[in-house]
Amino acid sequence: MSKEVGTENRPDNTAFTQQRLPAWQPMLSAGIVIPGFVLIGLAFIGIGVALFVTSRNIQVLERDYTGVERDSFCYGCSDLKVKNCKCNLNFTLDKLFEGPVFFYYGLSNYFQNYRQYGNSKDANQLSGDKEYFTEPDESCAPYERVGDVPIAPCGALPNSMFNDTFKLYQMVNGTRVEVPFDGKGISWWTDYNIKYRNPPGTPLSKAFEGTTNPPFWPRPAYELDTTDPSNNGFINQDFLVWMRRAALPDFRKLYRRITEGEYAKGLPAGKYTLVIGYNYPVRAFNGKKKVVFSNVSWMGGKNKFLGIAYLVIGSMCVVMSIVMLIVYAKFKFPDEE
Amino acid sequence: MCTSDESELATVTWQSSSGFDPPHQSDTRTVYVANRFPQHGHYIPQRFADNRIISSKYTVWNFVPKNLFEQFRRIANFYFIIIFLVQLMIDTPTSPVTSGLPLFFVITVTAIKQGYEDWLRHKADNEVNGAPVFVVRSGSLVQTRSKNIRVGDIVRVAKDETFPADLVLLSSDRLEGTCHITTASLDGETNLKTHFSVAETSVCQSVSRLEALQAVVECQQPDPDLYRFVGRITVTQQGEEIVRPLGPENLLLRGARLKNTKEIFGVAVYTGMESKMALNYKCKSQKRSAVEKSMNSFLIIYLCILLFEAVLSTILKYAWQAETQWDEPFYNQKTEQEKNSSPILKFISDFLAFSVLYNYIIPISLYVTVEMQKFLGSFFIGWDLDLYHEESDQKAQVNTSDLNEELGQVEYVFTDKTGTLTENEMYFRECSINGVKYQELNGKLVPEGMMDDSLDSSNAALTGEELLFLKAVSLCHTVQISYDQPDGVGGGAGDPFSHTNGFSANYMEYYASSPDEKALVEATKRMGVAFTGSNGETMEIKTFGKSEKYKLLHVLEFDANRRRMSVILESPSGGKVLFTKGAESAVLPFSTKGEIEKTRLHVDEFALKGLRTLVVACRHFSAEEYSEVERQLSAARTALQQREERLQEAFAFIERDLQLLGATGVEDRLQDKVQETIEALRLAGIKVLSCGHFHRTMNILELLQQHTDNECAEQLRLLARRIKEDHVIQHGLVVDGASLSLALREHEKLFMDVCKNCSAVLCCRMAPLQKAKVVHLFKTSPEKPITLAIGDGANDVSMIQEAHVGIGIMGKEGRQAVRNSDYAIARFKFLSKLLLVHGHFYYIRIAHLVQYFFYKNVCFITPQFLYQFFCLFSQQTLYDGAYLTLYNIFFTSLPILVYSLFEQLTKPALYRDISGNSLLSFRTFLYWTLLGFCHAFIFFFGSYALMGEDTSLMGNGQILRANRQLMFGNWTFGTLVYTVMVITVTLQLAMETHYWTWMNHFVTWGSIAFYFIFSLFYGGIIWPFVQTQDMYFVFVQLLSSGSAWFTIIIIIVTCLFPDMLKKVLYRHLHPTRTQKSQMYSNRVVIGDDFIALQPLSRAKTQLGKIRADS
């Protein structure tokens, strides 16, 4: 009789099939974790201090100009009935406001992240596709057409573009000297050069023929910037900044940079006047408007959160490693050296 | 086709086949042999199934619709299709693709898996259906495929082939038209059975004679009962019709194997799916593991969270929008359509939109990942060399991968004894002849106490009593002899154990219905009295080479009531003699001569040693006595009424006044390492209910031979008291079948209490149904423990199917148990590795898999929910659609899958740590869910704190000066949250991983890297055919901000730091056994057995250490 039974069913003797692949088996023992925590903690405290100091050195000047209160400098303008209203914000700098200085406008209680609002635009139109100049996407409704004439750019998002204007003057020896604003390069490079395109055709006004401007806009898209013809249409910097929707209801958007001439090093100490062209209504929804002057460090604008967070977590790591050390010493198992 | 448990039992008791409802109108079917239909007009052809066996579920054509239908019957898939449809119908925040794509992915993966499994079934079916068979057609023998056999075909089957359909035997190569078959693959009986043909057809031994045969078979419609067949055959000879009855002894069942007979011819009566074997196919039992049950309840909880969040959001939305300044600010006026739609409709559509927005909290890929994990994971069981049995070349076999983790949860093990704990290989050990004990030494019968050196003197000088005893043993049996030249693996996959000990010399093999008989006949052969053959009328033995022929007059078959069998023989000298063999209680009372008392003592002694005992007796008849016996027997055998009773009377008349010859003791050896295995299981906290091998220190309690209710209750109470009073650590309980049924009928609770306090319970003499009942009793007790039943025979099937996990031993009693089990192993000792290593691993793996899945989806969707508070509940998504879609299927799927296949932990004694489904307890679930919520809050508000003031996040680096003072928008915010989330969630799993193979490293770091690469690519180009280019360059801009990097780091550390702290502190303050063992793994003293039970990698290092030490 056959004693030898075949071995064709014999499983392979490999590390994989036998579940003994070489493996690293880390253990969270106190001996590793405590020094690790201390190291991380110290590193974080270091980073935290650096971030905190950096953030504290950033100068910020912030002014609300909504004009709700009676004594506010823009009170007269906050009434919607007043057209082309201008108000002046005067401020004094005690010391040099180091450059480059960035000038922002800010809105609060304003929901740019509202879904239907954010979707209310026609991406194809904005990329210069002429087809959509005659047939805008229906997501633009109710800002799709005025009568039968299609709107370009259509939709609630472009329509509601921020339209206050600002001009900054320094009082030098009793005369107002305009501080030059630099409006180039305040939007994303890719937005300006790739994502948004004007429709083909020169002059631009011809390309926009057969469309009308959004109802809230005083001028058509091709006349957004009267001083610089290349800054018009869908690649207008202010327009691009507006079109990048803010994540949260209280937001700021970059308006201009101060980088030119004698102000490249910053705003010297002195008296300044900001002349605000007050157009944008916010009181209907309890909104607030503000202007912000700020400079930036290597980590960006002023942000206390990061430095504090690093300090807190860093010190917690250190404290906890001390607690662990105590626990470890007290509850040490007798047979563990 | 599924016959339920109950119906099977019903059919066994000869009830009507309740489980099967034949689709035929008529009660009988008429089969014209060789399909020679009558020429007369009144013949109505009946339609029969063809001989195709179909176990597959799908065909090429119906695969897609049928599989889809079955998949959508799953509640989770149905849920997602609903979400998908909602997205198609109403204006929802996300595009239908975001839920359609993952759904498609999940459905496809599942379909591929099921298609593959079905393909395997198709392959197996084709192999069976395409097997070559020989059929008599138009006067010659034609080779065709098995599937082409039709009812009425005459089929030729050669020796050692299996029958391709249910055949009525027409003729064999033997003159009397008999043949031998084994039905091992059907009912597990390995003995040879003789089947008969009708005299009229048995002469048709050649094709040409069969051609002339005119016969019609009428029989009942298909019936799953293997032992029932009623029919008749009408043979037309010279214009005369001869009718003969047909019974089960005429029917050759599909799946049985022809033995000992050169060839047979038979007519097919039941084919294909109507054959008895096919009717006995069972649908795989739908056992669900405890993990799956808790998974489902967790899903429901999450569904509630989802609904709650959606309702809350909807209500808040309307509360907020009550004021027009929020409802319709000037910059976002409504369209006419929006203004005019009904508020109720709007409310509903808002609710649906929120549900869609949050629907990802139900982890869509959970089911498919769990399925993949089980499917792939079960390969490791089959691959395990430790579960491979060298001698029989059998590896572990997984029939249901659904229960892998249940193996790690078992609290009670129910085991069969014979064949499961023992080898089911009988060895003759001792005997008692005429009051003297003998032992077998080197093939000699030696009286006990005789020394080895005196062996020579006793050579061949057997006394008369000894000789008579040996002759009695070698004549009184129903053993058959097969003279095969065994081929390779003795007859195929069915019975790889046909190589029997020491009998290979002259190619003679004994086949016996009971292994005891076989062992006895083999033993007498070794001692010089060899049974060499029988042909139905004479039995031949060789006594020391001298041949003697006994004429076989009558066989008084064994039955369970008499518990003995007898043969009446005519010796060569002409005397008539009766030999009886049976249980001691069935023979001793009828014995009048011989050393009755001494033998009784010896039998008790044998039994105490664990030997199986039989008592042998004889009776010599005078001529008058014999004629009386003859008269009584034939009268009873031919009686038309009450034949059973009259036979019993006749037997009782014959089997009396016996002369006691002696008793035999046969040992059924324990399998290798049974004691150790049971001990290891017990150490792991598993209770073993079996045929006891009690620990020496155990206190044995007995509940035996209870006849009345009251006695039984009394005894039980007594036992319960003893358990409390006796100060012994471990108790063992012995129960027999009769007492058990009493205990179960009235005193279930009391019995359970006693059982639970015993660490071993021995149940003996149990019916299959009783075994299942005990299992059921434990299963349904208030604690709902997880039970495991292990057995090897057909009688264990009901128990195997009843228990949570059923394990089959690939033993000698056929494949029945294996086929009905969830897992099959070759030896009992493999159970420890299967439970303590594989089960343990799979439980830990799957438990973490499930918890982690819920965790990562909470992390995923909660920021989305929080964001609604900042966007006026306008259903603005936080993440881009592609990110929503790919989170579960790409970015976070592989690490957990690999973890759940490769994670390893700890040692078997730690089995207790996870018992009672503790890793999936509500507390753990709550912990993970809360952890998920906490992390989600940290992600969201961490990012919020950074972006909230919305200052510029770009530095003033000199190189990047131009164009770098940018403002970030909502998509950058979402991407920041998402980036932090993907990394944290992956690292959280990394912290849970204890066993880092290269694959873990690859998928963990690979996932994070893949996320970055994908995002760079996704944001790097303007995608054609996509409406909005929201994500264009967002990721690059985010990463070029130093502050963003700092934020990512601080948020990740903040998330992981408390959990890390908790792990370390917990380990020192409340270490679980698992962790203790990790801490002191080097110092634990371990025995060799334990090393065998451990994951190999660990065992290897430990072995190395031990060797280095010594």
Side-chain angles (χ1 to χ4, degrees):
Chain A
M1 294 209 62
S2 64
K3 247 310 175 216
E4 66 287 342
V5 180
T7 51
E8 59 262 34
N9 286 330
R10 189 190 172 85
D12 291 339
N13 186 8
T14 63
F16 177 74
T17 55
Q18 301 308 310
Q19 303 198 59
R20 50 183 158 75
L21 284 171
W24 174 54
Q25 289 165 277
M27 252 200 305
L28 291 175
S29 73
I32 299 164
V33 173
I34 294 174
F37 267 45
V38 171
L39 277 181
I40 292 175
L42 293 179
F44 272 29
I45 290 173
I47 296 171
V49 168
L51 287 172
F52 189 75
V53 170
T54 312
S55 175
R56 228 183 50 170
N57 287 340
I58 294 172
Q59 291 161 288
V60 178
L61 182 97
E62 202 175 304
R63 289 285 190 280
D64 188 299
Y65 71 97
T66 323
V68 188
E69 289 88 28
R70 202 161 274 280
D71 54 345
S72 168
F73 53 90
C74 278
Y75 177 70
C77 291
S78 61
D79 189 349
L80 273 178
K81 286 174 197 119
V82 185
K83 296 284 170 201
N84 291 326
C85 176
K86 282 198 166 28
C87 51
N88 293 349
L89 163 63
N90 299 315
F91 62 94
T92 311
L93 294 178
D94 300 333
K95 56 174 186 179
L96 175 73
F97 200 105
E98 267 177 69
V101 178
F102 295 82
F103 175 67
Y104 307 84
Y105 61 87
L107 291 170
S108 61
N109 253 340
Y110 191 102
F111 289 85
Q112 255 206 320
N113 55 14
Y114 198 85
R115 180 166 68 94
Q116 284 84 355
Y117 170 80
N119 291 341
S120 184
K121 63 177 187 204
D122 185 342
N124 290 314
Q125 198 187 51
L126 293 171
S127 65
D129 195 330
K130 279 289 263 188
E131 248 179 72
Y132 297 87
F133 277 69
T134 46
E135 285 295 329
D137 196 86
E138 59 184 29
S139 65
C140 286
Y143 306 101
E144 203 178 346
R145 294 161 193 278
V146 177
D148 275 341
V149 189
I151 298 172
C154 74
L157 180 54
N159 180 48
S160 58
M161 185 178 153
F162 187 73
N163 58 2
D164 282 1
T165 56
F166 306 95
K167 271 195 160 53
L168 182 64
Y169 298 96
Q170 189 186 6
M171 306 301 284
V172 185
N173 306 327
T175 53
R176 298 216 299 197
V177 179
E178 185 173 351
V179 179
F181 274 156
D182 176 10
K184 288 205 183 79
I186 55 173
S187 69
W188 288 27
W189 188 89
T190 48
D191 285 354
Y192 181 72
N193 289 294
I194 299 164
K195 197 169 154 186
Y196 292 85
R197 298 280 77 196
N198 274 326
T202 42
L204 208 50
S205 56
K206 202 155 179 228
F208 277 90
E209 226 168 49
T211 61
T212 181
N213 52 305
F216 290 3
W217 288 21
R219 291 185 298 270
Y222 50 86
E223 283 172 11
L224 279 174
D225 188 350
T226 45
T227 57
D228 182 0
S230 66
N231 191 24
N232 273 310
F234 298 154
I235 55 168
N236 175 274
Q237 296 279 350
D238 291 324
F239 178 67
L240 294 178
V241 168
W242 182 256
M243 290 300 282
R244 187 148 293 274
R245 295 156 61 200
L248 298 159
D250 297 340
F251 61 89
R252 298 177 197 178
K253 282 181 184 289
L254 187 58
Y255 187 70
R256 292 290 181 265
R257 295 184 295 171
I258 301 165
T259 53
E260 285 166 25
E262 53 195 296
Y263 297 100
K265 289 236 155 53
L267 297 174
K271 289 192 167 190
Y272 292 86
T273 304
L274 184 71
V275 180
I276 300 164
Y278 196 111
N279 303 313
Y280 207 72
V282 292
R283 289 191 62 180
F285 51 87
N286 283 343
K288 288 260 174 7
K289 297 200 280 191
K290 64 183 175 188
V291 285
V292 182
F293 292 90
S294 168
N295 50 19
V296 297
S297 66
W298 53 270
M299 55 166 280
K302 194 178 185 86
N303 191 331
K304 273 182 257 166
F305 159 74
L306 263 186
I308 293 171
Y310 269 88
L311 284 174
V312 168
I313 296 296
S315 29
M316 265 167 68
C317 278
V318 174
V319 170
M320 279 307 152
S321 57
I322 293 167
V323 170
M324 264 191 287
L325 202 65
I326 294 166
V327 169
Y328 181 62
K330 231 181 162 175
F331 292 87
K332 201 166 107 173
F333 292 94
D335 51 352
E336 190 179 18
E337 295 103 348
Chain B
M1 202 58 44
C2 313
T3 33
S4 66
D5 259 7
E6 288 77 4
S7 77
E8 188 209 36
L9 294 165
T11 53
V12 168
T13 53
W14 292 72
Q15 302 288 311
S16 67
S17 55
S18 56
F20 178 69
D21 184 22
H24 311 271
Q25 281 83 37
S26 141
D27 285 347
T28 62
R29 56 164 58 183
T30 310
V31 179
Y32 294 91
V33 174
N35 288 322
R36 278 188 284 274
F37 304 117
Q39 260 78 56
H40 325 297
H42 62 261
Y43 164 70
I44 307 153
Q46 280 171 299
R47 288 183 62 83
F48 305 118
D50 63 6
N51 198 32
R52 215 187 290 260
I53 287 282
I54 303 161
S55 61
S56 55
K57 261 162 83 181
Y58 309 111
T59 65
V60 177
W61 308 113
N62 72 7
F63 177 73
V64 171
K66 195 171 174 186
N67 186 266
L68 279 185
F69 174 72
E70 280 179 8
Q71 288 205 45
F72 283 120
R73 280 194 347 201
R74 265 196 172 166
I75 194 82
N77 289 342
F78 186 70
Y79 163 79
F80 287 109
I81 197 86
I82 292 288
I83 292 286
F84 179 67
L85 292 178
V86 166
Q87 281 178 313
L88 283 181
M89 282 184 307
I90 66 167
D91 169 42
T92 55
T94 55
S95 100
V97 177
T98 55
S99 66
L101 197 68
L103 184 65
F104 177 75
F105 176 79
V106 163
I107 297 274
T108 314
V109 169
T110 314
I112 288 172
K113 183 201 150 202
Q114 291 180 348
Y116 171 73
E117 287 174 347
D118 206 55
W119 178 70
L120 289 183
R121 282 193 289 265
H122 268 289
K123 231 174 67 171
D125 285 352
N126 287 342
E127 208 170 290
V128 172
N129 293 331
V133 290
F134 286 94
V135 173
V136 179
R137 289 236 171 101
S138 55
S140 59
L141 210 52
V142 183
Q143 184 177 0
T144 179
R145 289 169 189 281
S146 168
K147 63 181 175 190
N148 296 332
I149 295 175
R150 287 169 297 156
V151 169
D153 276 341
I154 296 175
V155 182
R156 191 203 71 161
V157 179
K159 186 167 160 186
D160 290 333
E161 285 179 356
T162 55
F163 301 110
D166 289 353
L167 309 172
V168 166
L169 181 60
L170 292 176
S171 64
S172 73
D173 66 317
R174 299 183 191 170
L175 275 177
E176 68 271 21
T178 58
C179 71
H180 288 125
I181 64 167
T182 67
T183 52
S185 62
L186 289 171
D187 57 7
E189 291 182 22
T190 49
N191 60 320
L192 287 183
K193 288 177 186 150
T194 313
H195 282 236
F196 302 93
S197 60
V198 190
E200 280 69 27
T201 61
S202 66
V203 292
C204 307
Q205 285 169 315
S206 67
V207 175
S208 53
R209 297 200 60 173
L210 282 166
E211 200 45 34
L213 180 69
Q214 279 279 340
V216 179
V217 175
E218 281 171 282
C219 57
Q220 68 194 126
Q221 291 293 1
D223 175 346
D225 187 349
L226 294 179
Y227 308 105
R228 200 167 95 136
F229 179 67
V230 183
R232 61 179 179 185
I233 184 167
T234 313
V235 183
T236 315
Q237 275 179 343
Q238 289 113 33
E240 193 184 335
E241 289 196 346
I242 304 161
V243 181
R244 298 278 166 192
L246 296 174
E249 71 279 3
N250 303 107
L251 189 70
L252 308 170
L253 298 177
R254 178 172 191 151
R257 192 177 289 275
L258 185 64
K259 284 276 174 193
N260 241 353
T261 315
K262 228 180 264 153
E263 62 171 17
I264 62 108
F265 288 99
V267 58
V269 286
Y270 304 128
T271 49
M273 297 312 285
E274 293 181 340
S275 62
K276 287 186 185 288
M277 182 183 79
L279 293 177
N280 273 285
Y281 272 147
K282 285 232 171 83
C283 283
K284 267 262 86 55
S285 59
Q286 289 293 315
K287 291 182 186 172
R288 285 165 73 220
S289 70
V291 169
E292 211 182 323
K293 280 174 209 159
S294 26
M295 201 161 88
N296 286 341
S297 49
F298 295 161
L299 269 181
I300 289 172
I301 294 173
Y302 268 59
L303 200 67
C304 292
I305 295 179
L306 166 72
L307 290 179
F308 171 74
E309 284 183 354
V311 168
L312 184 75
S313 303
T314 317
I315 292 172
L316 283 176
K317 176 178 175 137
Y318 283 91
W320 215 293
Q321 290 184 355
E323 297 172 62
T324 32
Q325 64 181 38
W326 303 125
D327 184 31
E328 196 177 6
F330 77 92
Y331 53 84
N332 187 25
Q333 270 153 7
K334 291 183 177 171
T335 56
E336 288 302 308
Q337 197 195 344
E338 278 173 329
K339 281 177 189 158
N340 296 336
S341 59
S342 95
I344 296 172
L345 220 63
K346 259 168 73 183
F347 190 87
I348 291 172
S349 98
D350 269 321
F351 169 73
L352 287 176
F354 278 117
S355 310
V356 167
L357 189 66
Y358 305 145
N359 87 78
Y360 303 90
I361 200 171
I362 307 284
I364 182 166
S365 48
L366 174 61
Y367 276 103
V368 74
T369 311
V370 164
E371 222 161 75
M372 295 262 285
Q373 191 265 351
K374 287 179 170 178
F375 177 67
L376 297 175
S378 61
F379 284 121
F380 283 118
I381 295 179
W383 283 337
D384 195 336
L385 266 177
D386 291 349
L387 302 182
Y388 169 74
H389 191 235
E390 198 93 35
E391 286 86 59
S392 59
D393 187 35
Q394 282 169 325
K395 54 183 182 180
Q397 181 185 327
V398 180
N399 296 335
T400 352
S401 58
D402 286 348
L403 297 171
N404 290 347
E405 69 277 7
E406 203 83 336
L407 291 172
Q409 287 285 297
V410 171
E411 284 156 85
Y412 287 90
V413 171
F414 296 84
T415 145
D416 173 49
K417 183 185 177 194
T418 308
T420 306
L421 297 180
T422 66
E423 294 278 358
N424 205 8
E425 265 174 30
M426 307 296 168
Y427 290 94
F428 176 80
R429 279 282 170 259
E430 285 182 78
C431 66
S432 152
I433 302 173
N434 210 17
V436 183
K437 269 202 284 186
Y438 287 83
Q439 272 177 315
E440 187 195 356
L441 279 177
N442 303 327
K444 306 264 159 40
L445 197 61
V446 182
E448 195 169 59
M450 194 173 270
M451 308 309 282
D452 277 3
D453 51 347
S454 58
L455 275 177
D456 293 333
S457 58
S458 67
N459 191 12
L462 289 176
T463 59
E465 284 100 7
E466 289 167 358
L467 198 59
L468 186 62
F469 175 79
L470 289 183
K471 278 181 184 172
V473 170
S474 61
L475 286 169
C476 178
H477 54 71
T478 53
V479 172
Q480 303 276 349
I481 296 181
S482 165
Y483 290 96
D484 314 0
Q485 170 102 41
D487 40 39
V489 196
D495 42 2
F497 27 73
S498 55
H499 57 285
T500 41
N501 6 295
F503 255 77
S504 49
N506 46 8
Y507 306 123
M508 193 168 83
E509 207 179 325
Y510 291 130
Y511 276 94
S513 52
S514 96
D516 303 63
E517 268 189 347
K518 188 169 151 187
L520 286 175
V521 175
E522 282 167 4
T524 60
K525 186 183 175 197
R526 285 196 296 276
M527 292 172 210
V529 183
F531 169 63
T532 53
S534 73
N535 61 359
E537 286 176 16
T538 54
M539 293 180 92
E540 192 179 345
I541 55 170
K542 272 194 180 144
T543 319
F544 299 106
K546 200 168 86 226
S547 179
E548 282 179 41
K549 279 195 175 158
Y550 285 82
K551 198 169 168 203
L552 180 60
L553 300 172
H554 293 285
V555 178
L556 282 54
E557 294 86 359
F558 178 86
D559 68 58
N561 294 333
R562 271 160 59 238
R563 300 211 284 151
R564 58 179 181 260
M565 70 156 292
S566 305
V567 290
I568 301 174
L569 299 165
E570 186 182 314
S571 63
S573 53
K576 311 278 198 301
V577 64
L578 168 101
F579 290 118
T580 300
K581 183 179 77 180
E584 105 251 10
S585 60
V587 176
L588 287 182
F590 305 102
S591 306
T592 49
K593 284 171 275 189
E595 297 284 346
I596 296 172
E597 279 318 305
K598 272 190 186 165
T599 307
R600 193 191 298 276
L601 274 177
H602 288 162
V603 167
D604 287 348
E605 224 169 281
F606 292 164
L608 219 62
K609 286 184 193 163
L611 301 180
R612 299 156 73 97
T613 58
L614 284 172
V615 175
V616 183
C618 75
R619 181 182 175 192
H620 294 277
F621 293 116
S622 62
E624 303 82 64
E625 274 174 331
Y626 181 69
S627 59
E628 174 63 17
V629 164
E630 178 84 39
R631 198 186 57 75
Q632 288 235 4
L633 260 184
S634 57
R637 286 223 156 111
T638 52
L640 291 174
Q641 268 140 30
Q642 294 174 319
R643 190 188 290 175
E644 288 289 303
E645 287 82 355
R646 295 194 55 180
L647 267 178
Q648 290 297 335
E649 279 167 28
F651 288 170
F653 172 76
I654 298 163
E655 291 165 329
R656 65 192 166 92
D657 293 337
L658 300 170
Q659 179 193 348
L660 189 63
L661 294 176
T664 59
V666 171
E667 186 191 20
D668 188 5
R669 274 196 325 184
L670 268 188
Q671 280 183 14
D672 207 17
K673 293 228 167 93
V674 164
Q675 295 269 16
E676 290 90 334
T677 306
I678 292 181
E679 211 47 47
L681 294 180
R682 196 169 285 144
L683 267 176
I686 301 173
K687 295 192 175 175
V688 182
L689 278 76
S690 71
C691 303
H693 288 271
F694 292 115
H695 203 264
R696 242 169 275 121
T697 57
M698 236 183 249
N699 189 12
I700 312 269
L701 312 169
E702 288 183 355
L703 180 66
L704 288 172
Q705 310 206 333
Q706 306 296 321
H707 299 298
T708 67
D709 254 16
N710 291 342
E711 267 179 56
C712 183
E714 195 56 41
Q715 182 73 8
L716 276 171
R717 263 177 228 118
L718 189 79
L719 293 178
R721 210 164 41 245
R722 271 182 64 189
I723 286 173
K724 277 197 206 97
E725 286 162 6
D726 295 5
H727 295 285
V728 192
I729 308 153
Q730 289 179 312
H731 299 276
L733 175 72
V734 188
V735 197
D736 66 356
S739 312
L740 185 80
S741 63
L742 280 175
L744 291 187
R745 202 182 308 146
E746 297 283 335
H747 315 289
E748 265 185 28
K749 238 181 86 61
L750 201 55
F751 178 66
M752 279 294 297
D753 290 344
V754 175
C755 278
K756 278 186 189 149
N757 287 314
C758 298
S759 40
V761 179
L762 167 91
C763 302
C764 45
R765 296 183 201 121
M766 304 260 283
L769 197 57
Q770 268 185 323
K771 294 185 184 179
K773 223 168 151 187
V774 176
V775 175
H776 185 77
L777 181 70
F778 275 81
K779 207 171 114 177
T780 51
S781 68
E783 292 84 23
K784 303 246 177 298
I786 306 293
T787 56
L788 177 143
I790 178 166
D792 70 326
N795 59 343
D796 303 315
V797 168
S798 48
M799 166 169 95
I800 285 174
Q801 288 182 331
E802 176 67 39
H804 290 99
V805 187
I807 303 223
I809 297 274
M810 306 172 191
K812 301 206 153 156
E813 296 191 28
R815 311 288 289 180
Q816 197 84 336
V818 171
R819 203 174 297 133
N820 287 291
S821 63
D822 303 310
Y823 298 88
I825 48 178
R827 283 290 178 274
F828 183 78
K829 65 176 174 189
F830 296 153
L831 191 64
S832 55
K833 175 142 192 195
L834 192 64
L835 293 191
L836 304 182
V837 178
H838 287 288
H840 191 173
F841 283 176
Y842 283 120
Y843 178 72
I844 288 176
R845 290 166 181 176
I846 200 115
H848 277 105
L849 173 83
V850 171
Q851 301 284 23
Y852 178 74
F853 248 92
F854 286 109
Y855 156 78
K856 82 181 169 110
N857 280 279
V858 171
C859 282
F860 181 39
I861 223 63
T862 309
Q864 184 117 279
F865 172 64
L866 294 173
Y867 192 52
Q868 299 309 307
F869 288 85
F870 297 90
C871 72
L872 273 187
F873 297 93
S874 61
Q875 299 130 15
Q876 174 63 47
T877 57
L878 186 54
Y879 322 116
D880 182 65
Y883 284 157
L884 279 173
T885 311
L886 300 181
Y887 179 75
N888 267 326
I889 52 184
F890 283 141
F891 299 142
T892 60
S893 60
L894 277 182
I896 183 64
L897 183 64
V898 168
Y899 168 90
S900 68
L901 286 173
F902 296 100
E903 175 70 347
Q904 293 190 20
L905 257 182
T906 70
K907 289 206 288 293
L910 314 164
Y911 195 84
R912 285 172 210 230
D913 256 10
I914 57 161
S915 69
N917 206 1
S918 66
L919 291 185
L920 283 176
S921 68
F922 193 71
R923 251 187 66 177
T924 340
F925 168 72
L926 210 64
Y927 171 75
W928 277 95
T929 303
L930 285 181
L931 188 71
F933 274 113
C934 288
H935 283 186
F937 272 76
I938 297 173
F939 300 154
F940 185 81
F941 288 106
S943 305
Y944 176 81
L946 180 78
M947 308 266 290
E949 297 178 37
D950 215 358
T951 50
S952 175
L953 293 179
M954 291 297 183
N956 58 353
Q958 292 301 302
I959 312 157
L960 303 170
R961 189 196 294 215
N963 290 329
R964 286 291 140 172
Q965 291 316 311
L966 313 169
M967 305 309 301
F968 284 165
N970 63 326
W971 297 116
T972 316
F973 179 61
T975 307
L976 176 64
V977 174
Y978 194 86
T979 307
V980 169
M981 176 174 68
V982 168
I983 300 173
T984 309
V985 160
T986 309
L987 291 182
Q988 176 71 40
L989 181 67
M991 272 174 47
E992 299 292 326
T993 308
H994 293 90
Y995 196 80
W996 284 84
T997 65
W998 64 266
M999 264 185 287
N1000 295 78
H1001 284 292
F1002 181 73
V1003 295
T1004 304
W1005 314 123
S1007 281
I1008 296 175
F1010 175 74
Y1011 167 71
F1012 276 82
I1013 293 165
F1014 172 85
S1015 300
L1016 289 174
F1017 176 67
Y1018 179 60
I1021 56 174
I1022 295 272
W1023 287 89
F1025 315 114
V1026 178
Q1027 256 282 309
T1028 55
Q1029 306 291 342
D1030 291 330
M1031 296 305 289
Y1032 189 58
F1033 257 72
V1034 163
F1035 194 67
V1036 178
Q1037 296 286 8
L1038 176 71
L1039 293 193
S1040 47
S1041 154
S1043 302
W1045 281 102
F1046 279 118
T1047 315
I1048 291 172
I1049 292 169
I1050 190 76
I1051 294 179
I1052 292 170
V1053 171
T1054 312
C1055 286
L1056 299 182
F1057 159 76
D1059 200 54
M1060 172 85 87
L1061 193 69
K1062 187 212 105 183
K1063 278 192 164 61
V1064 175
L1065 287 182
Y1066 231 69
R1067 177 186 293 270
H1068 284 278
L1069 296 176
H1070 302 281
T1072 57
R1073 284 187 201 94
T1074 312
Q1075 285 160 346
K1076 267 187 198 159
S1077 84
Q1078 272 185 317
M1079 276 192 278
Y1080 319 123
S1081 60
N1082 302 344
R1083 275 174 279 276
V1084 174
V1085 183
I1086 33 164
D1088 268 6
D1089 289 335
F1090 272 100
I1091 292 175
L1093 299 175
Q1094 286 175 45
L1096 267 176
S1097 56
R1098 196 178 285 267
K1100 230 170 60 185
T1101 56
Q1102 280 174 347
L1103 267 181
K1105 266 177 206 148
I1106 291 169
R1107 289 206 182 107
D1109 287 349
S1110 57

